[in-house]
Amino acid sequence: MKSTAARKASGKPFELLLDQRIIHRRIEELGRQITADYAGQIPVLIGVLKGCVIFMADLVREIKLPVEVEFVSAASYRKGIRREDDVILGGGISIPLEGRHVLLVEGVVDSGRTVSTVLQRLRKLEPASVEVVTLLDKPGSHRTKLDVKYKGFSVGNEFVIGFGLDNTQQYRNLPFIGRLLDR
Ligand code: IMP
Ligand code: MG
């Protein structure tokens, strides 16, 4: 581990929040739970880009079922500053979702607006079921009523980076989750 000062040299200072071993073990548990809950099914995992990518890659390998994978893109932050209004969605869903069991995969749920917006869009495609799986949840920050069935960890109202999550597009490649010290 580098010192805080050393980390600051390559960007904003941060501290370790969740290490790789803890994250890996939790993803194994989520994979076991999903494998049991969807036994006999072929779920469609839809990742919300870009924050989902590392989590998605690990999670699919812990689900011992045939799965299909799709992505949508969503942006609710600009230059690291929270946008209170709309969530911009992109990406097309090429897999027909009618009658399918869908799992929406997120890196972090904060206000819940991104996931709610994507859920609204997915429900129009008449899937048999839709559940949300997120690596991190900030339950104290939700601004919309949201049912997150599978969550890796709950965190407080802090800005987290790494394991796919960014601050102004950087830090996604950190193999652990850190907490920014000055937001
Ligand atoms: P929400 O729409 O407020 O729930 O925000 C979800 C999106 O905001 C996520 O997909 C992330 O891109 C981003 N986000 C929210 N909190 C954090 C954080 O702590 N670190 C990095 N990105 C975040
Ligand atoms: Mg972001």
Side-chain angles (χ1 to χ4, degrees):
M1 268 297 130
K2 283 198 230 168
S3 70
T4 298
R7 288 180 201 139
K8 193 170 183 172
S10 55
K12 290 188 182 176
F14 60 86
E15 64 184 14
L16 179 67
L17 185 61
L18 298 163
D19 71 27
Q20 281 170 270
R21 252 169 55 92
I22 287 172
I23 298 169
H24 180 66
R25 261 186 274 156
R26 186 69 188 118
I27 296 175
E28 280 177 341
E29 285 172 6
L30 288 172
R32 274 197 294 274
Q33 201 182 340
I34 290 167
T35 301
D37 291 355
Y38 289 84
Q41 310 284 355
I42 306 175
V44 185
L45 277 76
I46 303 184
V48 183
L49 293 170
K50 305 172 197 168
C52 73
V53 287
I54 312 285
F55 176 47
M56 179 77 138
D58 283 357
L59 181 67
V60 285
R61 287 177 288 178
E62 300 299 339
I63 299 175
K64 310 302 179 190
L65 297 171
V67 299
E68 293 176 23
V69 169
E70 188 60 273
F71 293 96
V72 293
S73 69
S76 61
Y77 277 43
R78 282 289 175 276
K79 293 180 179 166
I81 294 163
R82 181 194 292 270
R83 279 167 44 115
E84 289 291 343
D85 45 16
D86 49 309
V87 172
I88 302 158
L89 287 185
I93 296 164
S94 60
I95 300 173
L97 296 183
E98 191 180 341
R100 301 298 304 272
H101 293 283
V102 171
L103 274 163
L104 188 61
V105 182
E106 246 295 17
V108 55
V109 175
D110 184 14
S111 72
R113 286 192 194 92
T114 304
V115 159
S116 294
T117 306
V118 179
L119 283 175
Q120 273 176 29
R121 175 164 142 188
L122 293 182
R123 287 199 177 108
K124 289 188 188 139
L125 304 174
E126 299 181 12
S129 69
V130 192
E131 298 293 350
V132 177
V133 48
T134 186
L135 179 61
L136 301 178
D137 186 28
K138 300 184 187 178
S141 302
H142 291 189
R143 304 278 178 86
T144 168
K145 198 177 145 9
L146 197 61
D147 190 14
V148 179
K149 182 159 185 186
Y150 304 98
K151 63 175 89 171
F153 304 92
S154 291
V155 297
N157 181 22
E158 51 205 350
F159 201 84
V160 286
I161 51 164
F163 216 85
L165 305 177
D166 74 304
N167 178 243
T168 61
Q169 298 304 331
Q170 293 185 17
Y171 304 101
R172 293 193 198 274
N173 57 330
L174 294 178
F176 51 83
I177 305 244
R179 174 205 332 250
L180 283 192
L181 292 174
D182 45 358
R183 307 181 53 167

